Amino acid sequence: YGRFRKMMIGMVLATDPARGFETVAAVRAAFPAAFAVAGPESPAAGSAEARALQRSFDDAAAAGEAAPERLQPLLELIVEVADVSHPLRPLAVHRRWSVMITREFYAQGDLERARGGPVSPLCDRAASSGDAAAFGRGQQGFIDFVVAPRARSLAALGGEAARPAAVASGGEREPPPLLAALERSHASWG
Protein backbone atom coordinates (compact mmCIF):
# COMPACT_ATOMS: atom_id res chain seq x y z
CA TYR A 1 0.00 0.00 0.00
CA GLY A 2 2.76 2.44 0.94
CA ARG A 3 4.62 2.10 -2.37
CA PHE A 4 1.41 2.49 -4.37
CA ARG A 5 0.40 5.56 -2.35
CA LYS A 6 3.82 7.15 -2.86
CA MET A 7 3.62 6.49 -6.61
CA MET A 8 0.13 8.01 -6.86
CA ILE A 9 1.13 11.10 -4.89
CA GLY A 10 4.14 11.55 -7.16
CA MET A 11 1.95 11.33 -10.25
CA VAL A 12 -0.47 13.94 -8.92
CA LEU A 13 2.33 16.28 -7.88
CA ALA A 14 3.88 15.91 -11.34
CA THR A 15 1.10 18.15 -12.68
CA ASP A 16 2.37 21.11 -10.62
CA PRO A 17 3.78 23.62 -13.12
CA ALA A 18 6.32 24.78 -10.53
CA ARG A 19 8.20 21.52 -11.12
CA GLY A 20 9.12 22.67 -14.61
CA PHE A 21 10.82 19.93 -16.57
CA GLU A 22 11.93 17.74 -13.66
CA THR A 23 9.94 14.80 -14.96
CA VAL A 24 11.28 15.06 -18.52
CA ALA A 25 14.83 15.16 -17.13
CA ALA A 26 14.14 12.18 -14.85
CA VAL A 27 12.68 10.16 -17.74
CA ARG A 28 15.69 10.95 -19.90
CA ALA A 29 17.97 9.78 -17.09
CA ALA A 30 15.95 6.61 -16.46
CA PHE A 31 15.75 5.61 -20.14
CA PRO A 32 18.79 7.13 -21.85
CA ALA A 33 18.62 4.79 -24.85
CA ALA A 34 15.39 6.46 -25.97
CA PHE A 35 17.21 9.78 -26.23
CA ALA A 36 20.63 8.59 -27.43
CA VAL A 37 19.93 9.97 -30.90
CA ALA A 38 20.20 13.72 -31.45
CA GLY A 39 17.15 15.47 -30.06
CA PRO A 40 14.13 13.90 -28.42
CA GLU A 41 13.27 11.65 -31.36
CA SER A 42 13.24 7.92 -30.79
CA PRO A 43 15.64 5.67 -32.67
CA ALA A 44 14.49 4.02 -35.87
CA ALA A 45 12.56 0.80 -35.44
CA GLY A 46 14.85 -2.22 -35.59
CA SER A 47 18.00 -0.15 -35.08
CA ALA A 48 20.62 -0.86 -32.44
CA GLU A 49 19.28 2.14 -30.51
CA ALA A 50 15.72 0.77 -30.59
CA ARG A 51 16.98 -2.59 -29.32
CA ALA A 52 18.87 -0.77 -26.56
CA LEU A 53 15.67 1.03 -25.59
CA GLN A 54 13.82 -2.29 -25.41
CA ARG A 55 16.63 -3.69 -23.24
CA SER A 56 16.26 -0.61 -21.02
CA PHE A 57 12.58 -1.43 -20.45
CA ASP A 58 13.37 -5.13 -20.02
CA ASP A 59 16.08 -4.31 -17.47
CA ALA A 60 13.62 -2.20 -15.49
CA ALA A 61 11.12 -5.07 -15.43
CA ALA A 62 13.81 -7.58 -14.44
CA ALA A 63 15.11 -5.32 -11.67
CA GLY A 64 12.20 -6.24 -9.42
CA GLU A 65 12.35 -3.83 -6.51
CA ALA A 66 14.14 -1.17 -8.55
CA ALA A 67 11.52 -1.13 -11.31
CA PRO A 68 8.93 1.07 -9.52
CA GLU A 69 11.54 3.74 -8.80
CA ARG A 70 12.77 3.65 -12.36
CA LEU A 71 9.30 3.68 -13.84
CA GLN A 72 7.99 6.43 -11.55
CA PRO A 73 9.21 9.24 -13.82
CA LEU A 74 7.55 7.54 -16.79
CA LEU A 75 4.23 7.30 -14.95
CA GLU A 76 4.56 10.95 -13.91
CA LEU A 77 5.26 11.97 -17.51
CA ILE A 78 2.16 10.12 -18.71
CA VAL A 79 0.02 12.00 -16.17
CA GLU A 80 1.69 15.32 -17.04
CA VAL A 81 0.98 14.83 -20.73
CA ALA A 82 -2.61 13.84 -19.97
CA ASP A 83 -3.00 17.00 -17.89
CA VAL A 84 -2.01 19.27 -20.79
CA SER A 85 -3.08 17.05 -23.68
CA HIS A 86 -5.77 19.12 -25.35
CA PRO A 87 -3.40 20.22 -28.16
CA LEU A 88 -2.96 16.51 -28.97
CA ARG A 89 -6.70 16.00 -29.43
CA PRO A 90 -8.82 16.71 -32.51
CA LEU A 91 -8.63 20.38 -33.42
CA ALA A 92 -12.22 21.21 -32.39
CA VAL A 93 -11.58 19.69 -28.95
CA HIS A 94 -8.29 21.54 -28.57
CA ARG A 95 -9.78 24.90 -29.50
CA ARG A 96 -12.74 24.42 -27.17
CA TRP A 97 -10.50 23.44 -24.24
CA SER A 98 -8.27 26.44 -24.92
CA VAL A 99 -11.25 28.76 -24.53
CA MET A 100 -12.62 26.91 -21.49
CA ILE A 101 -9.31 26.94 -19.58
CA THR A 102 -8.89 30.63 -20.35
CA ARG A 103 -12.36 31.31 -18.92
CA GLU A 104 -11.44 29.25 -15.85
CA PHE A 105 -8.24 31.26 -15.39
CA TYR A 106 -10.15 34.53 -15.72
CA ALA A 107 -12.75 33.37 -13.17
CA GLN A 108 -9.92 32.58 -10.76
CA GLY A 109 -8.40 36.02 -11.37
CA ASP A 110 -11.78 37.66 -10.78
CA LEU A 111 -12.05 35.89 -7.40
CA GLU A 112 -8.50 36.86 -6.46
CA ARG A 113 -9.19 40.50 -7.34
CA ALA A 114 -12.53 40.48 -5.43
CA ARG A 115 -10.70 39.19 -2.34
CA GLY A 116 -8.13 41.95 -2.60
CA GLY A 117 -5.22 39.64 -3.37
CA PRO A 118 -2.74 39.64 -6.21
CA VAL A 119 -4.02 38.21 -9.47
CA SER A 120 -2.12 35.14 -10.65
CA PRO A 121 -0.31 35.20 -13.99
CA LEU A 122 -2.55 34.39 -16.98
CA CYS A 123 -5.63 35.02 -14.82
CA ASP A 124 -6.01 38.76 -15.21
CA ARG A 125 -8.97 39.44 -17.45
CA ALA A 126 -8.31 43.19 -17.25
CA ALA A 127 -4.77 42.79 -18.56
CA SER A 128 -5.92 40.69 -21.49
CA SER A 129 -6.07 42.70 -24.64
CA GLY A 130 -8.98 40.69 -26.02
CA ASP A 131 -6.91 40.47 -29.18
CA ALA A 132 -7.49 37.15 -31.02
CA ALA A 133 -3.94 37.20 -32.41
CA ALA A 134 -2.49 37.61 -28.92
CA PHE A 135 -4.66 34.76 -27.68
CA GLY A 136 -3.36 32.60 -30.53
CA ARG A 137 0.25 33.48 -29.75
CA GLY A 138 -0.40 32.54 -26.13
CA GLN A 139 -1.72 29.15 -27.21
CA GLN A 140 1.31 28.62 -29.44
CA GLY A 141 3.56 29.48 -26.50
CA PHE A 142 1.72 26.96 -24.33
CA ILE A 143 2.22 24.31 -27.00
CA ASP A 144 5.88 25.19 -27.57
CA PHE A 145 7.00 25.50 -23.97
CA VAL A 146 4.66 23.27 -21.98
CA VAL A 147 3.18 20.55 -24.17
CA ALA A 148 5.76 19.88 -26.90
CA PRO A 149 8.75 18.89 -24.71
CA ARG A 150 6.59 16.47 -22.74
CA ALA A 151 4.74 15.04 -25.74
CA ARG A 152 7.94 14.56 -27.73
CA SER A 153 9.56 12.74 -24.82
CA LEU A 154 6.55 10.49 -24.43
CA ALA A 155 6.46 9.85 -28.19
CA ALA A 156 10.12 8.85 -28.09
CA LEU A 157 9.52 6.43 -25.24
CA GLY A 158 6.43 4.98 -26.86
CA GLY A 159 8.23 4.44 -30.12
CA GLU A 160 5.89 6.72 -32.07
CA ALA A 161 8.79 8.79 -33.29
CA ALA A 162 10.44 5.55 -34.44
CA ARG A 163 7.63 4.76 -36.86
CA PRO A 164 8.41 5.75 -40.40
CA ALA A 165 6.75 8.98 -41.38
CA ALA A 166 3.89 8.61 -43.79
CA VAL A 167 4.39 10.00 -47.25
CA ALA A 168 1.68 12.42 -48.28
CA SER A 169 0.26 12.52 -51.78
CA GLY A 170 2.64 15.35 -52.67
CA GLY A 171 5.66 13.29 -51.60
CA GLU A 172 6.11 15.20 -48.33
CA ARG A 173 6.83 13.23 -45.18
CA GLU A 174 4.23 13.57 -42.45
CA PRO A 175 5.13 13.23 -38.77
CA PRO A 176 3.68 10.41 -36.65
CA PRO A 177 0.09 10.99 -35.37
CA LEU A 178 0.86 12.39 -31.90
CA LEU A 179 3.40 14.86 -33.18
CA ALA A 180 1.25 15.67 -36.23
CA ALA A 181 -1.62 16.59 -33.90
CA LEU A 182 0.69 18.87 -31.97
CA GLU A 183 1.89 20.59 -35.15
CA ARG A 184 -1.68 20.93 -36.45
CA SER A 185 -2.84 22.58 -33.22
CA HIS A 186 0.10 24.96 -33.22
CA ALA A 187 -0.48 25.95 -36.85
CA SER A 188 -4.19 26.53 -36.24
CA TRP A 189 -3.40 29.59 -34.09
CA GLY A 190 -1.76 31.58 -36.84
Side-chain angles (χ1 to χ4, degrees), residues 164-180:
V167 177
S169 60
E172 301 146 11
R173 296 180 63 76
E174 296 178 352
L178 182 73
L179 302 179

Side-chain angles (χ1 to χ4, degrees), residues 37 97 159:
V37 182
W97 275 91

Side-chain angles (χ1 to χ4, degrees), residues 8 15 37 39 67 81 93 95 99-100 114 119 148 162 172 174 177-178 190:
M8 292 304 295
T15 64
V37 182
V81 171
V93 173
R95 292 179 81 74
V99 170
M100 290 188 326
V119 178
E172 301 146 11
E174 296 178 352
L178 182 73

Side-chain angles (χ1 to χ4, degrees), residues 15-68:
T15 64
D16 182 354
R19 288 187 50 184
F21 291 97
E22 288 175 24
T23 304
V24 170
V27 165
R28 286 174 174 262
F31 300 100
F35 305 98
V37 182
E41 300 300 324
S42 180
S47 69
E49 292 87 1
R51 288 190 300 277
L53 175 60
Q54 184 59 52
R55 281 192 306 276
S56 182
F57 280 107
D58 292 344
D59 291 347
E65 287 299 312

Side-chain angles (χ1 to χ4, degrees), residues 39-115:
E41 300 300 324
S42 180
S47 69
E49 292 87 1
R51 288 190 300 277
L53 175 60
Q54 184 59 52
R55 281 192 306 276
S56 182
F57 280 107
D58 292 344
D59 291 347
E65 287 299 312
E69 287 74 24
R70 187 156 181 221
L71 293 175
Q72 181 69 29
L74 175 58
L75 296 171
E76 290 177 7
L77 180 62
I78 291 167
V79 172
E80 274 189 66
V81 171
D83 187 46
V84 296
S85 67
H86 66 85
L88 304 172
R89 308 285 311 244
L91 192 55
V93 173
H94 162 59
R95 292 179 81 74
R96 180 167 183 212
W97 275 91
S98 297
V99 170
M100 290 188 326
I101 193 67
T102 300
R103 288 179 181 162
E104 181 179 326
F105 286 169
Y106 288 164
Q108 175 182 328
D110 294 346
L111 285 172
E112 291 170 342
R113 179 172 283 108
R115 293 181 177 157

